[in-house]
Amino acid sequence: MCGIVAYKGKKNCYPILINGLKKLEYRGYDSAGIACISGKGNITISKRSGKVKQLEETLKKNNVHKKCTGTGIAHTRWATHGRPNQVNSHPHNDQSGSIVLVHNGIIENYDPIKKFLKSKNIKFKSETDTEVLVQLIGYFYNKGKLTFEQSVRAALQRVDGAYAIVVLNKNEPDKMIAARKGSPLVLGINEEEFFVGSDISPIINYTQQIIYLEESQMAIIGEKDYEIKSIEKDISLPKVVEKIDYKIDDYDKGKFKFFMHKEIHEQVDTISNTIIGRTKGHNVLLNGLMEYWSQIESASKIYITACGTSWHAGLIGKNLIERFSEVPVHVEYASEFRYNKILVDNDSVVIAISQSGETADTLAAIKKANDYGAITIGICNVPGSSISRETDCGVFTRCGHEVGVASTKAFTAQISILYLFALKLAYVKKQISKSAMKAHLDFASSVTKVKSILRKENYIKKIASKYKNASDFLYLGRGLNFPVALEGALKLKEISYIHAEGYPAAEMKHGPIALVDKNMPNVFIVPKDKTYDKIISNIEEIKSRKGKIIIITDSKEKVLKDLANDLIVVPKTNHYMFCILATIVLQLFAYYIAVGKKLNVDQPRNLAKSVTVE
Ligand code: M6R
C-alpha cells in the first residue's frame, strides 16, 4: 500500500512532490520520504516516520526544500513489512548507494531473494520487502554486465507479488524508470517534463496528458523523451496518451476541525448531488449504464463486490434490488470473491462499489468478473480511478473529495445510487408502478430530513459523551438496517478504537447476548415497519439483562421511551431513506465519541483511506 509521486523536469521537484504526497496520504500515512538526484548524480534521501506534514517540517528546517533538483521521487507509506520507523520508510537504496527506489505493493518472494542476496554479502538495513527489490536491482547493476534498464527488468522478472515502482540511478541521473504489476501507476506528460503517480491526483493539476501504465509495463523516462516497454521482453510498446479533462480543487476543512465532521455535514448536498439529473418524473436516468443496459436488464443474477463500508452499501443494495426487481443478488467481500469459486458467467452483472476506486481486492475481483465474461459496473467516487476504468460501465457517486478515513458521505451516496439502480431495474421489469416510482424518487431527493438530523447534533454529542468510556458495543438492526448496524459499529471501531459488533437484532440471542451486562451499550435501529414489534422484544431481552439501550427510531411511541436509556427520534420518511438518516446519526455518534477521547478522527491508527494491497 502506499502512495508514489515522482517528477522529472526543469523545475524544483520539491513542491510537486510534497503537495503530491499530501494528495496521496489517503493511501497511507505512517511515514514518508523524498529522494532527489542532481545532474552530477548526487542523491539526497530524506525520510522519517509520521505524517507528510511532519516530513515537510523536517525538510524545511533542514533547508532540503531549497536544495531539491529537477528529478525526485517521493513516497507515503502504510507499513506492510516492517514497523513504521525511519529506517523502513521509503525511498530505499541499494548497498552501493547507486540505486534508489520507491515502491507500492508487496514482494511476496522477498525471503528467498533476501537469503540469496545475503549469501552474496549484501547487508540489509531495513525489515522491508522493498529493500530486497532495490538490492536485487543493485546486485545486477553492480555486476557490471547489465545496463540500468536491464537490471531493473532482470530484478522485476524475478519478483512475485504486486508492485508499482519508480527508480533512480546516480550513474545515470538523466534517467527515471517506472514500472508496474498489480499496483496502479500513471504517467503525466508535458513538454520536457514528466510526472509519475499512484493515481492522477498528484499530477492532474500540472498536465492533462496521461498514460495509464498497463500490467507488466515499464516507462523509461529520459530528459526529453520516454519509452513504454514490456517488463517481460525488451520491446517498445505504443504510447497510449489520454487527455483527462479533470482538475482537483483544493479541499480544506473550512470551519470544521476534522474532515470527517465536514463530510458528515456535506451530506445535505451530496445526497441530492448524487441524484440530481438522474431522475425525470417517474424515470431514472443512469446514462453511464445505457450502453450495456439491455444486458443488465436481462441478467439472471447480480453480484455486488466491495470492501468495508462499501460492502455495507452493497448489502443495502442487495435488499433494495431483490425487493424491487426480484433479481437474485449475491454480495461478496472482494477479498473472498477473488479467490472463491464464484458462479459468475456472461449472464451475470457484477457491481463493484468503491469510494476510492483503488481498493486492491475490489480491483482484482472486477478483473476476475471481466475474465468470466460478466458485465461489470463500477459505483465509484473518483473519476479516472482504476476500478472506474476496469469496469464496462458505471455511475459516479459525485460526492466530492472524501478525506476522512472513516467513509461517510460516500456511503450515503452509494446507497442513493443503488436505490436508483434498483428502482430503474424494477421499472423496466414492470415490477413497480409509475406512481410508486414517483413517490420513491421524491423521497430520495428530499434533503430537508438530513438537515433535521444535523440540527440534533448537540443532543447526539451529549449522548456520545455518556458512552465514551465503554469498552464494547452491540449495534442491532433488522432487514435494511442490519447493514446500517454493521456500518455504525465499523465507524465506532475505526475512529474510537472501541470494540463494536453489528448483528441482525434477533441473531443476537444466538451468542452475542452472553456479552451483555450493565456496562454494555446496545444501539438499536428501530424503524416503525413490519419488524417493529419483533425488535421491541429483542430490546426487552437485552433490557432484562441490564444492558444499556440506545434507540434510533422514527416512532414516537411511549414504549420506546420507557425502554431506552437514550432515544434519538428521526423524522418520518420511507424505509429506504430511514437507513440514510439512521446512518448519519451513527456517524455523528461515533464522531463525538472519538472527539471526546481526543483521537485523530481523520487519520486513525493503523488505517489508510484506500487499501491498495491485498
Ligand atoms: O475506497 P473503498 O470504498 O473501496 O474502500 C473500502 C474500504 O476500505 C473502506 O470503506 C473502509 O472500510 C473505510 N475506512 C470505512 O470507513
Side-chain angles (χ1 to χ4, degrees):
M1 229 149 83
C2 311
I4 290 175
V5 54
Y7 174 77
K8 180 153 188 41
K10 297 210 160 40
K11 297 182 187 132
N12 177 335
C13 65
Y14 175 78
I16 296 165
L17 298 184
I18 203 81
N19 291 329
L21 286 184
K22 286 179 189 165
K23 297 215 163 72
L24 291 169
E25 229 178 352
Y26 77 92
R27 304 173 78 96
Y29 44 76
D30 61 38
S31 50
I34 283 182
C36 56
I37 186 166
S38 73
K40 290 186 185 142
N42 295 322
I43 295 181
T44 319
I45 301 178
S46 315
K47 54 188 189 174
R48 59 162 296 169
S49 60
K51 311 229 160 33
V52 172
K53 188 111 200 72
Q54 290 164 286
L55 175 73
E56 185 178 24
E57 280 158 16
T58 308
L59 295 182
K60 279 214 167 134
K61 206 162 81 197
N62 301 336
N63 270 322
V64 175
H65 65 302
K66 291 187 186 148
K67 294 180 223 151
C68 276
T69 60
T71 302
I73 59 180
H75 187 270
T76 178
R77 179 169 186 246
W78 183 85
T80 58
H81 297 56
R83 283 158 296 150
N85 57 22
Q86 199 220 2
V87 178
N88 290 331
S89 313
H90 300 218
H92 287 281
N93 57 278
D94 76 321
Q95 182 165 277
S96 72
S98 304
I99 312 289
V100 59
L101 164 149
V102 287
H103 166 223
N104 165 213
I106 293 179
I107 306 300
E108 287 169 359
N109 59 341
Y110 75 92
D111 193 41
I113 299 177
K114 192 170 186 174
K115 283 187 182 128
F116 165 76
L117 292 170
K118 277 184 169 171
S119 75
K120 301 287 174 196
N121 283 328
I122 288 173
K123 306 259 176 307
F124 284 80
K125 288 181 287 191
S126 78
E127 304 157 290
T128 63
D129 53 330
T130 302
E131 192 186 352
V132 173
L133 177 55
V134 73
Q135 294 280 22
L136 187 61
I137 298 172
Y139 168 75
F140 286 125
Y141 183 73
N142 291 322
K143 284 206 320 194
K145 291 203 174 127
L146 299 182
T147 63
F148 175 31
E149 181 187 324
Q150 286 167 339
S151 305
V152 173
R153 181 176 287 109
L156 292 180
Q157 286 173 350
R158 282 160 180 81
V159 295
D160 298 331
Y163 55 78
I165 57 165
V166 188
V167 204
L168 298 174
N169 176 358
K170 79 186 230 184
N171 301 311
E172 296 189 40
D174 293 338
K175 203 170 263 179
M176 176 186 268
I177 299 181
R180 70 153 284 203
K181 190 178 153 210
S183 304
L185 207 57
V186 297
L187 250 61
I189 293 142
N190 266 343
E191 200 149 311
E192 298 188 16
E193 185 178 53
F194 305 95
F195 304 80
V196 184
S198 293
D199 66 28
I200 58 171
S201 66
I203 296 177
I204 201 70
N205 288 356
Y206 302 103
T207 177
Q208 296 184 326
Q209 304 297 319
I210 298 291
I211 292 186
Y212 289 89
L213 272 194
E214 298 291 342
E215 272 302 270
S216 300
Q217 286 189 344
M218 57 200 282
I220 295 89
I221 302 166
E223 233 174 324
K224 297 196 171 146
D225 205 358
Y226 67 100
E227 270 186 291
I228 305 294
K229 290 189 169 182
S230 151
I231 292 174
E232 269 87 48
K233 280 192 195 143
D234 186 1
I235 43 167
S236 282
L237 299 168
K239 299 171 178 172
V240 186
V241 183
E242 293 181 37
K243 185 164 189 291
I244 306 290
D245 199 5
Y246 177 65
K247 278 258 176 269
I248 296 183
D249 297 331
D250 284 338
Y251 179 67
D252 60 34
K253 286 185 246 180
K255 62 176 187 185
F256 297 90
K257 189 164 173 216
F258 289 105
F259 279 109
M260 180 184 178
H261 196 198
K262 185 179 189 211
E263 287 157 5
I264 293 173
H265 274 251
E266 282 175 353
Q267 290 172 110
V268 173
D269 298 318
T270 53
I271 295 169
S272 52
N273 285 347
T274 302
I275 291 168
I276 280 171
R278 287 173 168 155
T279 66
K280 199 169 180 195
H282 63 275
N283 284 310
V284 170
L285 317 168
L286 295 173
N287 294 339
L289 305 184
M290 288 333 288
E291 197 185 333
Y292 291 88
W293 187 258
S294 60
Q295 288 122 294
I296 295 171
E297 175 185 320
S298 59
S300 63
K301 54 187 180 295
I302 296 177
Y303 282 82
I304 299 182
T305 186
C307 303
T309 287
S310 300
W311 184 78
H312 297 157
L315 292 177
I316 294 180
K318 169 185 165 72
N319 190 309
L320 295 172
I321 296 167
E322 287 183 340
R323 237 181 237 225
F324 290 137
S325 65
E326 296 183 9
V327 178
V329 182
H330 310 269
V331 185
E332 300 281 347
Y333 282 117
S335 53
E336 296 294 309
F337 186 102
R338 64 186 291 191
Y339 292 114
N340 283 351
K341 182 170 169 63
I342 303 279
L343 303 175
V344 168
D345 54 21
N346 57 9
D347 192 27
S348 321
V349 165
V350 179
I351 304 177
I353 308 176
S354 174
Q355 186 286 129
S356 61
E358 298 296 343
T359 300
D361 283 322
T362 313
L363 186 56
I366 218 68
K367 284 183 178 158
K368 175 172 172 178
N370 283 336
D371 290 346
Y372 281 42
I375 299 294
T376 51
I377 300 179
I379 298 181
C380 296
N381 194 38
V382 180
S385 57
S386 302
I387 294 170
S388 70
R389 293 170 51 77
E390 282 291 334
T391 37
D392 291 317
C393 53
V395 189
F396 285 109
T397 41
R398 290 194 203 142
C399 63
H401 211 40
E402 190 181 70
V403 176
V405 163
S407 189
T408 52
K409 60 179 179 173
F411 179 68
T412 48
Q414 290 162 351
I415 299 175
S416 306
I417 295 292
L418 289 160
Y419 189 22
L420 294 185
F421 178 83
L423 289 171
K424 184 173 174 70
L425 197 59
Y427 189 64
V428 294
K429 285 180 173 292
K430 303 199 181 354
Q431 305 273 11
I432 189 168
S433 68
K434 268 189 192 174
S435 58
M437 281 293 280
K438 178 87 177 58
H440 277 293
L441 297 179
D442 286 349
F443 268 117
S445 41
S446 138
V447 294
T448 47
K449 300 203 162 67
V450 174
K451 280 190 187 146
S452 78
I453 303 288
L454 298 175
R455 280 198 293 272
K456 285 185 192 299
E457 183 159 5
N458 279 332
Y459 176 64
I460 297 169
K461 182 177 176 183
K462 265 194 203 141
I463 299 176
S465 73
K466 283 169 54 180
Y467 295 100
K468 72 172 199 274
N469 296 320
S471 54
D472 302 275
F473 271 74
L474 273 182
Y475 282 69
L476 301 159
R478 299 180 81 127
L480 270 174
N481 293 296
F482 161 51
V484 173
L486 290 174
E487 176 60 8
L490 179 63
K491 288 292 86 94
L492 187 72
K493 276 185 271 209
E494 62 183 337
I495 60 171
S496 73
Y497 317 144
I498 295 174
H499 169 243
E501 289 190 48
Y503 262 91
E507 182 65 21
M508 140 300 271
K509 292 192 294 293
H510 301 276
I513 197 165
L515 299 167
V516 174
D517 63 14
K518 65 179 175 17
N519 301 316
M520 174 111 162
N522 298 270
V523 181
F524 278 91
I525 304 145
V526 192
K528 183 84 175 112
D529 63 12
K530 64 176 183 201
T531 61
Y532 180 76
D533 293 332
K534 306 282 173 205
I535 301 199
I536 303 279
S537 307
N538 300 145
I539 298 173
E540 297 274 14
E541 288 150 11
I542 298 274
K543 184 92 181 163
S544 57
R545 284 153 183 93
K546 300 198 172 72
K548 300 263 182 325
I549 309 286
I550 303 161
I551 295 177
I552 300 158
T553 184
D554 57 356
S555 159
K556 293 201 169 135
E557 284 185 13
K558 185 167 171 304
V559 60
L560 295 177
K561 257 195 192 152
D562 296 342
L563 286 170
N565 295 82
D566 289 285
L567 181 69
I568 302 165
V569 182
V570 305
K572 273 259 169 260
T573 172
N574 68 6
H575 299 328
Y576 318 106
M577 287 306 289
F578 175 83
C579 286
I580 289 191
L581 301 185
T583 298
I584 298 173
V585 170
L586 294 177
Q587 292 168 349
L588 286 168
F589 183 68
Y591 172 78
Y592 279 112
I593 288 192
V595 168
K597 291 170 86 76
K598 303 201 179 344
L599 294 169
N600 183 345
V601 171
D602 284 337
Q603 293 186 321
R605 71 183 180 201
N606 304 341
L607 292 176
K609 179 75 183 150
S610 175
V611 180
T612 58
V613 288
E614 64 169 301

